[in-house]
């Protein structure tokens, strides 16, 4: 079952209120689907996480990453790029002014409880 528009609005209002109280809120998967910019505008998060799709697309057209980054900065958010898998992905992010990222190209995830890595050698 999908949430109604009213439920989406209620969630956005709650998250925006938290964000305005300095609770670090992130909007995930911006760049996937049609509503990423709407979610950023409605929630006013501290972070906007560009989807791994954007990182992969930037391998072919690096300018795409710069435009997404510039657009998101208009909303005064810190941009995080997901899906950094290669040194080229990292360089594309840095060239676009994105200093925060996630992906196996930056390191394997580590469990906070056991301090064990979540992947085998690449």
């Amino acid at each position: 079952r999908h949430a109604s528009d009213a439920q989406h609005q209620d969630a956005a209002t709650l998250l925006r209120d938290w964000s305005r109280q300095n609770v670090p809120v992130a909007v995930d998967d911006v760049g996937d689907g049609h509503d990423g910019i709407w979610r950023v505008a409605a929630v006013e998060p501290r972070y906007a996480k560009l989807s791994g799709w954007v990182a992969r697309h930037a391998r072919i057209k690096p300018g795409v990453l710069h435009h997404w980054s510039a657009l998101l900065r208009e909303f005064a958010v810190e941009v995080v790029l997901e899906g950094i898998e290669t040194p080229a992905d990292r360089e594309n992010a840095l060239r676009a002014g994105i200093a925060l990222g996630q992906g196996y190209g930056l390191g394997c995830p580590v469990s906070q409880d056991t301090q064990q890595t979540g992947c085998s050698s690449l």
Side-chain angles (χ1 to χ4, degrees):
R1 186 180 127 176
H2 294 284
S4 69
D5 286 343
Q7 288 169 318
H8 281 278
Q9 283 292 83
D10 289 346
T13 299
L14 177 65
L15 291 170
R16 184 176 51 248
D17 289 346
W18 287 351
S19 187
R20 289 177 177 174
Q21 294 173 38
N22 293 320
V23 174
V25 173
V27 170
D28 198 21
D29 294 329
V30 175
D32 284 348
H34 64 281
D35 68 341
I37 295 301
W38 175 88
R39 287 182 289 138
V40 170
V43 172
E44 300 175 13
R46 182 178 302 174
Y47 303 97
K49 295 173 64 180
L50 281 170
S51 74
W53 178 88
V54 176
R56 289 187 299 280
H57 191 68
R59 292 173 191 157
I60 300 164
K61 296 187 178 191
V64 166
L65 197 54
H66 171 76
H67 291 293
W68 270 109
S69 176
L71 177 61
L72 289 168
R73 283 199 180 87
E74 291 294 319
F75 292 96
V77 299
E78 292 187 58
V79 180
V80 180
L81 181 61
E82 298 177 338
I84 297 175
E85 307 298 336
T86 68
D89 292 341
R90 182 178 176 277
E91 290 303 314
N92 286 340
L94 292 173
R95 270 193 232 97
I98 300 171
L100 301 174
Q102 285 179 255
Y104 289 109
L106 299 175
C108 294
V110 176
S111 166
Q112 287 183 344
D113 296 332
T114 64
Q115 298 299 308
Q116 292 180 333
T117 183
C119 62
S120 59
S121 61
L122 298 175

